Amino acid sequence: MPVFLLKIIFFILSTISYFVSRFIFSTIAYLLVFLIHTLKVPGENAKGLLEQGAEALKGFVQYSFDLAVEAITTIVSMSFDLIKEGVMGSASVASSAVLGLVEQTRASFEALVKDLPELLEGFSEMVSTIATDLWNNYKDAVGYIRENIGS
């Protein structure tokens, strides 16, 4: 059951990341094309403007990627902290309760070890999907800009 819930969480994070990056890149691309068509600046100025736009877009992509990595790191860190707190809290239980807890922990740990490859696969799939979606949305935005600058 926890594996299923984590897979749902991974899917939701991937989907949210896709829509947010798609929205941001599309908006930037539309605004950039609109500005270029509105201003109709000479070639050198347009090139400079595009270079600045590309640098801003690259900076945004880097910032988004860093933010995603930081969020994932925070989630993993919080999970380990919760596990650590649970283990520390369990240490103060009476000896009879500790023996029962050890039996339950062993069973849970065996189930976790059994589910660990599936969890890691889901996590790596989520990270891969987020990175792929960011890259594809970036390429789509740049392609839109290239197509619509000349017209």
Side-chain angles (χ1 to χ4, degrees), residues 26-38 49-54 57 141 144-145 149:
S26 296
T27 303
I28 290 172
Y30 292 141
L31 286 174
L32 206 58
V33 168
F34 175 74
L35 284 173
I36 290 170
H37 283 295
T38 303
L49 183 65
L50 284 177
E51 287 174 354
Q52 288 178 351
L57 199 55
Y144 177 80
I145 292 170
I149 286 179

Side-chain angles (χ1 to χ4, degrees), residues 95-110:
S95 63
S96 61
V98 170
L99 290 175
L101 183 62
V102 167
E103 290 298 320
Q104 290 177 354
T105 305
R106 185 177 347 128
S108 297
F109 184 70
E110 288 172 357

Side-chain angles (χ1 to χ4, degrees), residues 8-119:
I8 289 174
I9 290 171
F10 292 160
F11 175 75
I12 290 170
L13 287 174
S14 298
T15 303
I16 289 171
S17 168
Y18 170 79
F19 285 123
V20 167
S21 66
R22 183 70 176 187
F23 173 75
I24 291 171
F25 286 133
S26 296
T27 303
I28 290 172
Y30 292 141
L31 286 174
L32 206 58
V33 168
F34 175 74
L35 284 173
I36 290 170
H37 283 295
T38 303
L39 299 175
K40 291 293 182 183
V41 294
E44 286 185 20
N45 292 342
K47 181 182 175 190
L49 183 65
L50 284 177
E51 287 174 354
Q52 288 178 351
E55 289 299 319
L57 199 55
K58 286 178 187 177
F60 176 76
V61 169
Q62 181 64 36
Y63 175 76
S64 298
F65 183 74
D66 291 343
L67 187 65
V69 168
E70 186 66 31
I72 291 169
T73 304
T74 302
I75 290 171
V76 170
S77 176
M78 286 180 8
S79 299
F80 283 128
D81 288 344
L82 288 174
I83 291 171
K84 184 176 122 182
E85 288 176 16
V87 170
M88 291 300 180
S90 298
S92 65
V93 179
S95 63
S96 61
V98 170
L99 290 175
L101 183 62
V102 167
E103 290 298 320
Q104 290 177 354
T105 305
R106 185 177 347 128
S108 297
F109 184 70
E110 288 172 357
L112 178 65
V113 169
K114 190 185 331 176
D115 294 338
L116 188 61
E118 192 174 348
L119 289 174

